Amino acid sequence: MLIETGDLRMVYQVGATPVHALTGVAITVDHGEFVVITGASGSGKSTLLNLLGCLERPSGGWYRLEGKQVEALDDDQLSRFRNQKIGFVFQTFNLIPQYNVVENVELPLIYRGVEKGARRARSLKILEQVGLGDKIEHRPSELSGGEAQRVAIARALAVEPVLLLADEPTGNLDSRTGTGIMELFSDLNRQGATVILVTHSQEVAGYGRRTIEMRDGRIIHDSATGENQRC
Amino acid sequence: MLNLGDTIAMSVKGLVQHRLRTLLSTLGIIFGVAAVISMMSVGEGARRAAIAQIKLLGTNNIRIRELPLAGKELEKAGPRYGRGLTHDDASLLRQGIPVRSVTFAPLKISAADVRHGGRQGGANVIGTSPEYAAITDFRVAAGRFLSPLDLADNKTVCVLGAEIKEELFGRGDAIDAELRIGDGWYTVVGVMEPKQLYQGKTPILKLRNINRDVYVPINTALWRFPAGRDPFAINEIAIRVADERNILDVVRLAREVLDRQHRGVGDYEIIIPEELLAQARETQRLFNMVIGAIAGISLVVGGIGIMNIMLANVSERTREIGVRRAIGARQKDIMLQFLIETVLVCLAGGVIGILLGFAMGGLISLYAKWETAFSLAGVLAAFGTAAAVGIVFGLFPARRAARLDPVQALRL
């Protein structure tokens, strides 16, 4: 099993009032799955994605990624773990403006300490794969939204992650470009990548092979189990 | 793991993104460093000139100079005293100071024209004794210096300074030539080596151009160049003390002898080059402290300016920091990146400041005709301080960047 969580909880302190973003989530995801998490804003889907991406530690419960106890890792270990296991794709692309396309893709490999020649070669290969082999010297500001998101996906893939996480990857794109991006995710999934994607668009959710619906910090429906956890 | 070269490359990229802002933020450092470098070059130039002048007198030497009295002091001293130094004083000192290895030479300095063939030149005619060459470490280039025999016989011989010889004889041989000094004829017995002179704008001592000296036996000078007020008046007594530990004793004894002879009239002064050297060093030290304080203030102000810019930089790049953290940068990677950015800004400011300081120092010596000299220590200190300012004032922004919560940073 790639992902196993139990009773995962997240509490944020907003001023004096605690906000319960997750109130006990148990989920398992196997290698090669394409999971789409849906729900209204504030339902906790982004928080769950951040936790699964090892960006922060849960307030309670447990999370094992490839058998590793994530909540026990310290900040440096979490950083390295993210670097080795996880690729992130964001709604706003989040490319680094002072770097050109290929430098953006290389960045995670720099943090991994991959030597210059090897990381350049790998980045070029991935850019070719996402269809941007001819734009490697472009700055992010010179790219269209769809191209920028492809670069972001290439960056996520550069480290050969076991888990590809995407938070509303089509949220800033027109529908035609969004379709292209979703087809890219589908392709990657068919080639073996495990994808977990957060969206509130029904159309996007249709690309998933498994959908999880969240409300008020818990899972209310999981198409894999078919069970409704509504209470 | 991330290596240092890649981190530095990252930092450079971060900086060139805002070239103008980066440059403006370094202005404080640039001008601070430039001011220090140029002031230090002026100070260093003055120090070297002072030392060179003092060395010319000889550090193991004591000079006793006449101090002409005027007005009330002269009246008070009466007609018999306050005559300044005389040849007798030199003899009395010689007898009155029983310290071993002390050499004396009287100096009677007159200005006169020297003529040979069709050429002539103005010279300082120095009546002195054979010891003078040893006292000052001046050496002859040709012939010989004055001898005891010249002195005993009141011979009309002379030794020419390098410059005056050049003027009268060119490259030709001057030894045994006959020439006129003032009204009399003299035979050239020697020519001195040329001496390097420092003629900065900030002289500690007024030194005559010794390359225009013409040395004649003291007795001859007293006889041929009467000064009017006293037939035995001389201008200076040069004393060399072989062992510098005896200098102060010799000064004390000399003062006793002269005060007795002059009835306490202060018509002479005793100059101790060693002491002048110490004074010059002390002045230099004070000067350096003042410069150091100015430098410190301007660098702190510059550093705060840079810190301010870096803080703005960090908050502007919050999202970038979030992305870097998400793809695996550790806190220390972020910290190092921003710290190196600040240090690079400061070092760049330091380099520009040093170059600007050189240029300013060059302009000062060009237009103010002051001696300037650049000390490597000053340059290294400026560079080191710039780096230190970068580290100190970069630490806070870098920590703030590193401590950002990745989730928060990405949400913005």
Side-chain angles (χ1 to χ4, degrees):
Chain A
M1 201 52 67
L2 176 63
I3 287 173
E4 290 172 283
T5 75
D7 195 29
L8 212 51
R9 289 165 185 279
M10 197 69 203
V11 182
Y12 293 111
Q13 205 70 30
V14 178
T17 43
V19 175
H20 296 268
L22 285 186
T23 53
V25 170
I27 182 178
T28 55
V29 178
D30 208 346
H31 287 279
E33 284 199 69
F34 191 155
V35 182
V36 173
I37 303 174
T38 61
S41 48
S43 62
K45 56 188 194 307
S46 287
T47 304
L48 179 59
L49 197 75
N50 289 339
L51 281 178
L52 294 179
C54 307
L55 274 173
E56 53 191 343
R57 274 167 299 221
S59 312
W62 53 270
Y63 170 28
R64 277 201 289 274
L65 178 63
E66 285 195 317
K68 189 111 173 173
Q69 206 75 41
V70 174
E71 71 273 12
L73 300 176
D74 69 21
D75 196 82
D76 275 10
Q77 289 168 325
L78 274 180
S79 303
R80 294 197 58 183
F81 208 55
R82 285 196 294 272
N83 186 244
Q84 286 159 355
K85 306 287 180 197
I86 294 159
F88 282 100
V89 178
F90 305 96
Q91 179 176 359
T92 51
F93 325 135
N94 284 342
L95 298 178
I96 293 179
Q98 66 265 32
Y99 291 1
N100 66 26
V101 164
V102 67
E103 286 166 341
N104 264 287
V105 176
E106 276 182 70
L107 194 57
L109 297 172
I110 290 179
Y111 284 117
R112 188 181 277 192
V114 176
E115 160 288 312
K116 200 175 179 110
R119 69 185 187 227
R120 179 58 55 111
R122 163 133 192 83
S123 305
L124 291 176
K125 202 176 125 210
I126 297 171
L127 281 168
E128 204 66 54
Q129 195 184 333
V130 299
L132 282 172
D134 55 337
K135 304 239 162 152
I136 55 167
E137 298 282 358
H138 285 55
R139 299 267 153 188
S141 55
E142 297 161 355
L143 299 177
S144 71
E147 287 169 337
Q149 196 58 298
R150 281 170 192 272
V151 175
I153 292 168
R155 179 176 67 190
L157 293 173
V159 294
E160 297 177 303
V162 295
L163 182 59
L164 194 55
L165 299 177
D167 193 351
E168 298 279 11
T170 59
N172 277 23
L173 302 174
D174 61 68
S175 62
R176 203 165 60 86
T177 317
T179 305
I181 292 296
M182 286 316 298
E183 268 159 13
L184 179 56
F185 275 113
S186 294
D187 280 350
L188 291 168
N189 177 246
R190 272 194 290 281
Q191 289 159 30
T194 311
V195 179
I196 301 180
L197 193 147
V198 162
T199 186
H200 54 242
S201 143
Q202 283 308 312
E203 199 183 330
V204 169
Y207 285 90
R209 291 197 274 158
R210 170 181 171 190
T211 42
I212 291 174
E213 198 183 341
M214 293 190 69
R215 184 182 295 168
D216 297 332
R218 60 184 57 213
I219 292 171
I220 54 168
H221 178 79
D222 187 337
S223 68
T225 54
E227 70 191 57
N228 282 343
Q229 296 180 342
R230 208 181 294 263
C231 39
Chain B
M1 279 302 94
L2 177 64
N3 70 48
L4 192 63
D6 287 328
T7 313
I8 292 172
M10 266 179 204
S11 303
V12 171
K13 278 235 163 77
L15 289 175
V16 296
Q17 195 185 2
H18 295 290
R19 282 189 202 91
L20 181 65
R21 195 167 78 179
T22 307
L23 182 71
L24 289 176
S25 71
T26 57
L27 282 180
I29 301 272
I30 290 175
F31 287 118
V33 168
V36 173
I37 291 288
S38 55
M39 289 318 289
M40 277 184 80
S41 72
V42 169
E44 176 71 12
R47 189 183 69 87
R48 287 193 192 171
I51 287 176
Q53 287 176 5
I54 289 160
K55 286 239 169 93
L56 216 52
L57 286 179
T59 44
N60 276 21
N61 289 3
I62 302 167
R63 291 290 171 120
I64 303 175
R65 280 189 178 169
E66 63 165 346
L67 204 60
L69 296 180
K72 275 197 177 150
E73 280 181 320
L74 192 60
E75 264 173 49
K76 219 171 83 186
R80 281 200 57 201
Y81 304 104
R83 304 180 303 173
L85 295 173
T86 65
H87 196 211
D88 291 345
D89 289 333
S91 315
L92 282 169
L93 285 173
R94 206 171 274 141
Q95 293 154 18
I97 299 178
V99 181
R100 275 192 300 142
S101 318
V102 180
T103 328
F104 298 86
L107 274 85
K108 178 180 167 57
I109 305 167
S110 334
D113 279 341
V114 183
R115 284 187 290 272
H116 176 262
R119 309 190 196 187
Q120 74 169 58
N124 316 305
V125 179
I126 315 286
T128 187
S129 64
E131 291 87 358
Y132 186 65
I135 287 172
T136 50
D137 271 338
F138 295 171
R139 273 179 274 276
V140 288
R144 61 172 174 83
F145 197 68
L146 302 174
S147 76
L149 220 60
D150 298 333
L151 217 61
D153 293 354
N154 288 3
K155 279 191 181 163
T156 51
V157 293
C158 67
V159 179
L160 299 179
E163 194 177 316
I164 197 83
K165 183 258 166 189
E166 181 89 24
E167 269 180 35
L168 297 180
F169 294 94
R171 292 171 148 242
D173 187 15
I175 307 294
D176 289 335
E178 297 281 325
L179 48 71
R180 273 182 83 85
I181 304 174
D183 302 329
W185 286 95
Y186 293 77
T187 311
V188 178
V189 294
V191 176
M192 304 303 290
E193 280 181 350
K195 272 275 183 182
Q196 168 89 50
L197 292 178
Y198 280 82
Q199 286 176 313
K201 256 225 166 164
T202 48
I204 286 205
L205 295 163
K206 270 188 217 137
L207 289 182
R208 60 176 196 274
N209 180 354
I210 52 177
N211 290 325
R212 297 193 74 85
D213 281 358
V214 174
Y215 303 104
V216 300
I218 177 71
N219 295 339
T220 311
L222 289 173
W223 159 50
R224 290 283 187 97
F225 297 94
R229 56 194 163 101
D230 187 313
F232 293 105
I234 58 174
N235 304 85
E236 213 173 302
I237 300 168
I239 305 171
R240 184 187 186 86
V241 184
D243 186 344
E244 61 186 277
R245 285 170 300 180
N246 291 335
I247 286 180
L248 291 178
D249 284 337
V250 171
V251 168
R252 188 173 47 78
L253 286 169
R255 198 161 265 143
E256 276 174 23
V257 169
L258 291 177
D259 281 349
R260 206 178 309 128
Q261 179 70 3
H262 292 223
R263 312 275 169 183
V265 176
D267 53 0
Y268 67 92
E269 62 176 339
I270 299 182
I271 297 162
I272 310 161
E274 183 67 38
E275 222 163 62
L276 291 176
L277 208 58
Q279 274 172 22
R281 287 207 184 97
E282 179 63 17
T283 312
Q284 180 71 19
R285 209 175 59 84
L286 281 172
F287 188 72
N288 283 347
M289 274 166 60
V290 172
I291 289 178
I294 295 170
I297 291 167
S298 64
L299 288 174
V300 166
V301 171
I304 291 170
I306 284 178
M307 180 164 77
N308 208 359
I309 294 293
M310 287 310 290
L311 283 172
N313 192 11
V314 167
S315 57
E316 199 172 273
R317 287 160 69 187
T318 299
R319 194 174 262 279
E320 174 191 331
I321 293 163
V323 175
R324 287 176 184 275
R325 295 282 280 128
I327 63 178
R330 294 164 303 167
Q331 289 196 10
K332 59 184 96 157
D333 297 329
I334 301 292
M335 172 111 183
L336 202 60
Q337 181 192 343
F338 281 88
L339 192 58
I340 289 175
E341 279 191 23
T342 317
V343 172
L344 285 178
V345 168
C346 289
L347 284 183
V351 170
I352 298 172
I354 288 167
L355 295 178
L356 192 62
F358 279 174
M360 278 159 63
L363 285 178
I364 288 172
S365 47
L366 201 61
Y367 290 106
K369 299 271 187 284
W370 285 358
E371 297 255 351
T372 55
F374 297 104
S375 68
L376 183 65
V379 171
L380 291 178
F383 210 67
T385 318
V389 165
I391 291 172
V392 169
F393 291 96
L395 220 48
F396 178 57
R399 258 171 70 99
R400 178 171 275 199
R403 293 271 175 103
L404 282 173
D405 176 42
V407 173
Q408 300 275 8
L410 283 168
R411 196 173 288 158
L412 286 173

